[in-house]
Amino acid sequence: MSDTEVPQPATVPLAEDPNAPLDLAAFKHSFRRHAAGVAVITALRPDGAPVGFTATSLASLSSVPPLATFNMARSASTWPAIAESDRVVIHILGAHNRAVAEVMSGPANQRFVGDHWQPGPHGLPVLKGVTSWMVGRIIERTLVHNSAVVVVKIEEGGMGENDEALLYYERTYRVPGAPA
């Protein structure tokens, strides 16, 4: 090796699955170090029951018209509702919403137990105390392997109190600048 070549480290096996393929290990290690904002997507099942999940894949697609996207696994407990729903609520979480993020990423049957939400426009579940929320109509679902990209046209929304960002990094919720 010459003095100008930089050694390339080998992919480290996953602690939880040391036999996982190296491409999966590289993918998971890399995205665990990609800090992402935390959002919660909520909807209604056809029977009217609320469903929701945390999402770190939320992105702005366009401002005119106002479009947002999120990704999700089609094996997720919430996918059947998203696959059949016309509308969703996208919530942006702040630092003071960490407990809500943990609830919404926990067991599906416990996500709407408590008073952290209320019915909003179209009867959709709206989380209380979030920094902002947007109601949108699903205009496209693109299936990609075992996942889906969902495109939402924003129709209305509301603002809560401003707050420090809540990020998901290294498999935990964090606030920038706060001790880990």
Side-chain angles (χ1 to χ4, degrees):
M1 178 182 296
S2 73
D3 291 339
T4 59
E5 289 182 58
V6 177
Q8 297 297 315
T11 300
V12 178
L14 294 170
E16 67 272 19
D17 185 2
N19 297 318
L22 292 181
D23 60 345
L24 178 60
F27 179 86
K28 286 189 172 188
H29 284 307
S30 293
F31 275 96
R32 287 176 183 164
R33 291 190 175 173
H34 175 70
V38 181
V40 169
I41 312 298
T42 60
L44 293 172
R45 289 192 327 217
D47 68 2
V51 295
F53 64 99
T54 57
T56 56
S57 63
L58 179 66
S60 166
L61 181 61
S62 161
S63 61
V64 179
L67 301 175
T69 67
F70 61 88
N71 310 327
M72 66 183 301
R74 291 189 291 145
S75 60
S77 62
T78 307
W79 171 248
I82 299 298
E84 297 179 25
S85 295
D86 291 337
R87 289 186 168 81
V88 295
V89 180
I90 299 170
H91 306 80
I92 308 300
L93 276 57
H96 71 277
N97 300 124
R98 184 178 185 159
V100 171
E102 290 169 349
V103 166
M104 296 304 293
S105 63
N109 65 350
Q110 297 296 308
R111 293 178 187 168
F112 291 93
V113 173
D115 66 350
H116 59 283
W117 70 281
Q118 63 191 20
H122 309 283
L124 292 163
V126 175
L127 300 178
K128 297 178 181 178
V130 295
T131 62
S132 64
W133 56 273
M134 302 172 283
V135 176
R137 185 174 40 85
I138 296 173
I139 62 169
E140 190 169 338
R141 296 170 190 87
T142 302
L143 306 182
V144 182
H145 192 42
N146 62 352
S147 296
V149 177
V150 181
V151 180
V152 179
K153 183 178 184 300
I154 304 305
E155 299 177 327
E156 62 182 297
M159 300 292 289
E161 295 294 320
N162 196 11
D163 194 6
E164 294 294 321
L166 180 64
L167 300 177
Y168 192 71
Y169 176 78
E170 285 285 351
R171 300 170 65 183
T172 190
Y173 298 108
R174 298 183 185 214
V175 176

